[in-house]
């Protein structure tokens, strides 16, 4: 397993909406250079966990440390400094609808760098090329497809070459080849820039191809029931739900999903 | 699952026969078509008749005569299954067609998540009143917080530090200015016409129809122009602001701005506010002129007042004070409408229906505020004697 420095440390985290507790007692460490996968069934709170990690939603208890600084106790300037170092791809893409793709990608650069217009333009078209959207600079988000929005969101997340990238279901809505290219891109960025990735995904192929660490959030017990390299979890985990998730229900929870298997065959 | 070939309908045939082979077991014979649109027995009746036999421990099916089936059959069977598990009766699916069996297994594969379904709680009267009271307090708190934050953003705008896009500002100027002219013209001319007509009937009785010019001029310039423009802009621009910001909330666009360290108040709210606050007084002047034009049409064509005479009378009636009061109304309405629209948009929930609600409540809030503000200004003017 990756032995880099701890970059994000989560301790005793509880989260929920109002009085509805979604997850409790989450503890994990994301190390520098990790490709950290958050797994779990639909609706278990993966996107919500991501919102807590990126400072959009306050946890009901517990802490998130970025290189030793507790985000939710930090001063506004410290928080801003942390935020500058992360890039985010939202589940819905979240492109700003009143701006063209180029303007969307350029926005973080204008906000945080002193590059001149020409340099920004070059950086933007490079990022769009990386996600296969060369030539779409002047399109508005409403004029492109769902998968293209995802990719444009990806380009925006990478605009500042951030240290830490959060991706919420990056390959949902992508064809298999683009999804594969995305995996390659993630590995490439990790190796060349040393970025850390926290990825919410259900794509088993990509989980096994790129993950260095992961956690599994369980809907019923409302906490994390497994953590570690998914490849090892597949063989070593004794938790039937984790096994079942990692094998698409082939192993693990035979009894509960027996009927379901028959239908899908 | 559904056999496309047409089958006779169930008219008259016996669809469900309940047989009790032993004291503790029951066999349901299902036959005919169980499809949407067919007459089939209700599961409630069946359960009622089963409940009438105490000591039942085994439920089985015979579907030899079953024709076509769809969800109708499945809901019937699933209800029976729920009843069986609640009453410790063995639910024997052997006799069901394999397709039905698989779908029923699938429907029961994922257990219902506890704590998700919202309990409908009947609260006591005091709890409800208290809850409403707390809601009012917290919504006032939220509104004040929004006002404060917007004011700070405005100060940053004045000192040139606010981050927003110039082209956005131009866009909003255009939308809340030039593009509103046609509807403002139409409404204002008509309001001028109406005022002139209503006034003329009264004034003609005294032979004083010339004073229609005074009536229309003062009413339009001092308050009516501003109110009509305000109501138009509340429905047009205020609603649009709420819908735009609400949709951005739904699409996580506002989250994306926040995490980038860009204040949505500066980036989204400020240009809208500035545009509407500057354009509103200008629109008011325009509406005043259009209103006077409406009165002029009635005066000249129907009351036989000479065109020049009408204009001179209007000019004499109007003081600069009236114009300033009208413009002041307009500017305040601009602020109020933009604030209401943006506030409701920013408070919007995360669904399409929440956007609709935000839009409606933006319009309602603006119109109420317009009326209240008008009342306050009128009283203050009265006290000051202007
Ligand atoms: N704004 C909200 N208010 C109240 N409850 C919410 C809100 N957003 C999400 N939830 C609840 O929180 C739970 C988790 O939502 P979340 O979006 O985090 O799930 P997820 O794990 O990302 O699911 P998916 O894989 O489908 O994206 C859901 O069951 C949902 O009911
Ligand atoms: Mg999600």
């Amino acid at each position: 397993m990756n032995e880099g420095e701890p970059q994000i440390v989560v301790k005793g985290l509880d989260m929920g909406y109002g009085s509805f507790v979604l997850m409790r007692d989450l503890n994990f460490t994301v190390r520098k250079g990790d490709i950290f996968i958050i797994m779990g069934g639909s609706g278990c709170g993966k996107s919500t966990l991501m919102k807590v990690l990126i400072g959009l939603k306050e946890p009901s208890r517990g802490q998130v440390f970025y290189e030793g600084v507790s985000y939710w106790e930090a001063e506004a300037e410290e928080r801003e400094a942390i935020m500058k170092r992360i890039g985010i791809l939202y589940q819905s893409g979240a492109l700003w609808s009143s701006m063209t793709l180029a303007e969307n990608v350029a926005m973080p650069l204008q906000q945080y760098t002193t590059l001149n217009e020409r340099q920004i333009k070059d950086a933007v078209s490079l990022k769009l090329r990386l996600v296969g959207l060369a030539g779409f600079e002047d399109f508005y988000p409403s004029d492109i497809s769902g998968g293209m929005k995802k990719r444009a969101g990806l380009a925006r997340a990478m605009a500042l070459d951030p240290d830490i990238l959060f991706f919420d279901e990056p390959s949902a809505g992508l064809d298999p080849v683009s999804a594969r290219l995305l995996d390659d891109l993630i590995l490439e960025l990790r190796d060349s820039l040393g970025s850390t990735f926290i990825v919410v995904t259900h794509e088993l192929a990509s989980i096994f191809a790129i993950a260095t660490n992961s956690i599994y959030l369980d809907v019923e017990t409302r906490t994390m029931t497994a953590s570690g390299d998914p490849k090892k979890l597949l063989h070593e985990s004794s938790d039937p739900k984790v096994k079942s998730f990692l094998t698409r229900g082939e192993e693990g929870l035979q009894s509960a999903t027996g009927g379901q298997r028959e239908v899908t065959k | 699952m559904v056999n496309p070939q047409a089958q006779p309908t169930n008219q008259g045939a016996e669809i469900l026969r309940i047989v009790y082979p032993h004291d503790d077991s029951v066999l349901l014979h299902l036959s005919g078509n169980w499809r949407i649109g067919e007459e089939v027995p209700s599961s409630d009746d069946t359960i009622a008749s089963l409940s009438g036999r105490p000591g039942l421990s085994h439920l089985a099916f015979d579907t030899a005569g079953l024709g076509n089936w769809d969800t109708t059959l499945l809901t019937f069977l699933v209800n029976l299954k729920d009843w069986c598990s609640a009453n410790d009766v063995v639910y024997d699916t052997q006799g069901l067609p394999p397709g039905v069996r698989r779908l029923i297994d699938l429907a029961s594969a994922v257990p219902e998540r506890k704590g998700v379904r919202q309990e409908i709680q009947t609260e006591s009267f005091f709890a409800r009143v208290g809850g409403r009271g707390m809601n009012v307090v917290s919504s006032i708190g939220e509104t004040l917080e929004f006002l404060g934050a917007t004011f700070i953003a405005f100060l940053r705008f004045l000192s040139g530090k606010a981050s927003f896009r110039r082209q956005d500002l131009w866009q909003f100027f255009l939308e809340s200015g030039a593009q509103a002219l046609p509807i403002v013209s139409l409404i204002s001319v008509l309001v001028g016409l109406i005022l002139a007509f209503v006034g003329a009937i009264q004034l003609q009785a005294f032979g004083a129809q010339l004073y229609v010019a005074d009536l229309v001029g003062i009413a339009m310039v001092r308050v009516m122009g501003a109110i009509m423009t305000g109501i138009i802009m509340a429905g047009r621009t205020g609603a649009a602001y709420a819908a735009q910001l609400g949709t951005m909330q739904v699409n996580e666009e506002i989250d994306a701005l926040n995490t980038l360290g860009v204040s949505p108040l500066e980036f989204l709210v400020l240009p809208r506010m500035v545009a509407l606050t500057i354009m509103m007084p200008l629109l008011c002047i325009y509406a005043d002129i259009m209103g006077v034009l409406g009165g002029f049409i009635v005066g000249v064509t129907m009351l036989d007042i000479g065109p020049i005479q009408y204009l001179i009378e209007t000019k004499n009636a109007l003081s600069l004070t009236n114009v300033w009061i009208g413009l002041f109304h307009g500017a305040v309405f601009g602020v109020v409408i933009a604030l209401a629209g943006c506030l409701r948009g920013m408070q919007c929930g995360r669904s399409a229906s929440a956007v609709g609600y935000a839009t409606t409540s933006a319009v309602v809030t603006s119109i109420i505020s317009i009326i209240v503000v008008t009342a306050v200004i009128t009283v203050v003017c009265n006290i000051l004697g202007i």
Side-chain angles (χ1 to χ4, degrees):
Chain A
M1 196 185 288
N2 178 7
E3 292 299 336
E5 288 165 32
Q7 199 151 30
I8 305 176
V9 178
V10 171
K11 279 196 184 146
L13 193 79
D14 288 7
M15 60 190 199
Y17 290 95
S19 57
F20 177 51
V21 181
L22 211 50
M23 280 286 147
R24 50 170 79 90
D25 201 29
L26 301 181
N27 293 287
F28 56 86
T29 301
V30 181
R31 293 172 188 281
K32 192 158 169 42
D34 255 348
I35 298 175
F36 190 96
I37 311 277
I38 301 176
M39 304 183 289
S42 183
C44 69
K46 303 179 296 293
S47 299
T48 311
L49 174 58
M50 209 179 98
K51 289 216 169 104
V52 173
L53 295 180
I54 61 183
L56 281 174
K57 183 170 169 22
E58 198 159 354
S60 16
R61 209 176 57 86
Q63 280 166 331
V64 180
F65 295 93
Y66 276 86
E67 289 178 353
V69 181
S70 168
Y71 181 84
W72 290 102
E73 290 169 352
E75 300 292 320
E77 293 94 59
E78 276 178 299
R79 285 189 189 186
E80 194 171 314
I82 293 172
M83 281 302 118
K84 257 184 224 181
R85 301 178 34 213
I86 71 183
I88 303 153
L89 168 65
Y90 294 84
Q91 189 164 4
S92 64
L95 295 173
W96 294 302
S97 47
S98 61
M99 303 185 206
T100 62
L101 297 194
E103 288 169 336
N104 263 283
V105 181
M107 179 86 172
L109 296 168
Q110 287 159 349
Q111 191 67 19
Y112 287 130
T113 66
T114 50
L115 300 180
N116 65 32
E117 228 164 272
R118 168 80 217 199
Q119 289 165 315
I120 288 185
K121 192 162 171 285
D122 289 345
V124 166
S125 56
L126 172 71
K127 300 288 154 161
L128 285 174
R129 279 236 306 268
L130 282 178
V131 297
L133 282 177
F136 286 92
E137 277 85 352
D138 295 328
F139 280 58
Y140 281 90
S142 53
D143 303 336
I144 58 176
S145 77
M148 289 160 84
K149 280 184 204 160
K150 262 275 151 72
R151 284 186 274 154
L154 203 60
R156 189 180 67 186
M158 300 186 313
L160 289 169
D161 295 327
D163 296 347
I164 310 173
L165 280 141
F166 287 87
F167 291 172
D168 196 348
E169 304 200 6
S171 49
L174 296 189
D175 60 275
V177 177
S178 312
R180 172 67 205 279
L181 288 176
L182 177 63
D183 286 350
D184 292 347
L185 180 64
I186 291 177
L187 289 173
E188 200 59 52
L189 288 174
R190 197 262 314 258
D191 295 339
S192 54
L193 299 173
S195 314
T196 307
F197 290 82
I198 291 128
V199 186
V200 174
T201 182
H202 304 291
E203 277 312 310
L204 286 176
S206 104
I207 291 178
F208 290 127
I210 60 174
T212 60
N213 200 351
S214 71
I215 54 170
Y216 180 81
L217 304 182
D218 181 43
V219 180
E220 272 158 45
T221 54
R222 300 202 186 153
T223 187
M224 48 183 275
T225 50
S227 64
D229 184 339
K231 288 181 283 291
K232 284 198 188 127
L233 283 182
L234 177 63
H235 300 295
E236 292 165 12
S237 173
S238 54
D239 187 326
K241 285 185 203 139
V242 178
K243 265 244 149 83
S244 166
F245 184 94
L246 289 174
T247 57
R248 303 183 64 213
E250 302 282 352
E251 282 174 45
L253 286 180
Q254 287 293 357
S255 52
T257 48
Q260 200 167 348
R261 292 274 81 225
E262 265 180 70
V263 175
T264 38
K265 259 173 204 163
Chain B
M1 100 177 80
V2 177
N3 193 343
Q5 71 197 8
Q7 293 259 339
T9 51
N10 296 333
Q11 228 108 47
E14 193 184 24
I15 315 286
L16 173 69
R17 195 153 51 86
I18 305 181
V19 185
Y20 297 97
H22 307 287
D23 271 353
D24 62 347
S25 69
V26 56
L27 185 61
L28 301 185
H29 285 273
L30 307 177
S31 52
N33 290 329
W34 287 70
R35 283 191 305 197
I36 291 171
E38 302 278 4
E39 283 278 325
V40 299
S42 87
S43 56
D44 287 347
D45 293 345
T46 314
I47 287 173
S49 73
L50 292 181
S51 307
R53 301 243 338 175
L56 214 57
S57 68
H58 190 258
L59 172 72
F61 298 94
D62 178 356
T63 54
L66 187 64
N68 286 337
W69 54 272
D70 63 9
T71 313
T72 315
L73 179 63
L74 292 176
T75 48
F76 178 82
L77 293 174
V78 167
N79 285 345
L80 281 184
K81 180 169 186 183
D82 289 346
W83 177 81
C84 284
S85 51
N87 291 282
D88 282 335
V89 176
V90 176
Y91 185 78
D92 184 353
T93 55
Q94 284 298 318
L96 295 174
V100 175
R101 225 159 50 207
R102 281 201 297 265
L103 287 176
I104 289 186
D105 283 346
L106 188 58
S108 358
V110 181
E112 184 175 326
R113 182 132 48 110
K114 282 154 236 109
V116 173
R117 210 169 267 195
Q118 311 239 316
E119 298 283 319
I120 299 170
Q121 290 164 342
T122 42
E123 289 179 318
S124 76
F125 172 74
F126 292 107
R128 277 207 307 273
V129 172
R132 286 284 173 84
M134 303 276 276
N135 280 350
V136 170
V137 170
S138 77
S139 87
I140 291 178
E142 238 172 76
T143 309
L144 289 180
E145 198 182 318
F146 180 79
L147 287 181
T150 313
F151 185 68
I152 291 172
F154 187 66
L155 292 184
R156 282 175 60 85
F157 170 74
L158 289 184
S159 61
K161 275 190 283 190
S163 66
F164 63 91
R165 302 195 322 151
R166 301 270 174 279
Q167 65 258 54
D168 280 355
L169 187 60
W170 286 122
Q171 185 61 31
F172 295 131
F173 270 129
L174 202 63
E175 277 172 15
S176 57
Q179 292 175 4
L181 288 182
I183 182 157
V184 171
S185 318
L186 177 71
I187 301 288
S188 307
V189 169
L190 290 180
V191 168
L193 284 174
I194 295 168
L195 282 174
F197 268 121
V198 174
I201 297 168
Q202 310 299 323
L203 293 171
Q204 249 171 346
F206 306 102
Q209 53 269 56
L210 183 57
Y211 290 104
V212 163
D214 299 49
L215 175 76
V216 173
I218 293 177
M220 281 311 291
V221 170
R222 192 170 167 117
V223 57
M224 282 310 281
I227 290 189
M228 292 323 291
T229 317
I231 289 178
I232 295 167
M233 297 310 276
R236 204 182 162 278
T237 309
Y241 286 177
Q244 289 160 0
L245 296 182
T247 315
M248 291 184 188
Q249 196 72 265
V250 174
N251 287 343
E252 301 177 303
E253 288 177 41
I254 292 185
D255 287 348
L257 280 177
N258 270 323
T259 43
L260 191 60
V262 177
S263 153
L265 282 177
E266 285 177 21
F267 196 77
L268 300 173
V269 173
L270 205 61
R272 288 175 166 81
M273 288 244 350
V274 169
L276 195 56
T277 311
I278 293 180
M279 289 324 276
M280 262 300 285
L282 299 181
L283 280 178
C284 279
I285 296 179
Y286 179 76
D288 295 347
I289 295 171
M290 286 294 129
V292 169
L293 177 68
F296 178 85
I297 293 170
V298 173
V300 171
T301 60
M302 314 206 37
L303 304 175
D304 295 327
I305 308 172
I308 303 294
Q309 200 184 2
Y310 188 97
L311 291 180
I312 290 175
E313 187 61 31
T314 305
K315 177 182 159 283
N316 289 342
L318 289 178
S319 65
L320 208 51
T321 323
N322 284 332
V323 176
W324 285 124
I325 291 177
L327 288 184
F328 182 69
H329 273 103
V332 176
F333 292 167
V335 176
V336 165
I337 296 167
L339 276 178
C342 295
L343 172 70
R344 296 303 179 202
M346 298 296 284
Q347 285 173 337
C348 179
R350 300 201 170 227
S351 66
S353 62
V355 175
Y357 177 75
T359 315
T360 316
S361 77
V363 175
V364 172
T365 312
S366 323
I367 291 183
I368 293 178
S369 316
I370 286 174
I371 305 294
V372 172
V373 166
T374 312
V376 171
I377 296 179
T378 310
V379 170
V380 170
C381 286
N382 214 351
I383 294 173
L384 296 179
I386 49 179

